Amino acid sequence: MAKKSMVNREVKREKLVAQHASKRAALKAVINDQEKPIEERFAATLKLAEMPRNSSAVRLHNRCQLTGRPHAYYRKLKLSRIMLRDLASFGQIPGMVKSSW
């Protein structure tokens, strides 16, 4: 089980990303628009830099929904490899069985 503080930090980041997503997208559109004057683009860059760092989607890290484990994460199932194996061996995931030979 991951530390509660790390899981809570990720939840906080997810909220910030959702809250600031539209404003960040608008500023990035201004910055990337070559038709705009350089002063306006530079001002948008400064406004983007003033925004909270944790509002950037790049800072999010995938974690297991059950344990919070950050490594060996399966995106499709939103689980770590350990929980995937446990749930599969108990028959909790339809169509998946633990391999043995």
Side-chain angles (χ1 to χ4, degrees):
M1 188 82 182
K3 289 173 34 176
K4 292 287 185 186
S5 61
M6 297 303 290
V7 174
N8 291 338
R9 187 179 299 170
E10 283 297 320
V11 170
K12 180 181 174 183
R13 283 182 182 151
E14 288 173 6
K15 287 179 184 176
L16 273 174
V17 168
Q19 182 180 357
H20 294 284
S22 60
K23 187 173 182 181
R24 289 183 75 88
L27 287 172
K28 285 185 179 186
V30 171
I31 292 168
N32 293 328
D33 188 7
Q34 298 293 325
E35 301 294 322
K36 303 254 185 204
I38 192 73
E39 295 85 11
E40 187 176 341
R41 291 170 56 204
F42 186 68
T45 304
L46 293 177
K47 283 184 182 178
L48 185 64
E50 289 174 0
M51 294 185 77
R53 284 186 179 180
N54 285 335
S55 67
S56 175
V58 178
R59 293 177 66 96
L60 292 176
H61 199 281
N62 293 328
R63 288 185 174 271
C64 176
Q65 292 289 312
L66 299 177
T67 61
R69 179 181 165 87
H71 300 293
Y73 175 83
Y74 287 88
R75 290 182 183 191
K76 195 170 189 178
L77 301 170
K78 296 185 178 182
L79 294 173
S80 67
R81 64 176 176 85
I82 297 167
M83 292 310 298
L84 179 67
R85 181 180 171 149
D86 285 347
L87 293 175
S89 64
F90 288 125
Q92 299 286 326
I93 302 175
M96 188 176 286
V97 291
K98 183 174 169 271
S99 165
S100 62
W101 59 91

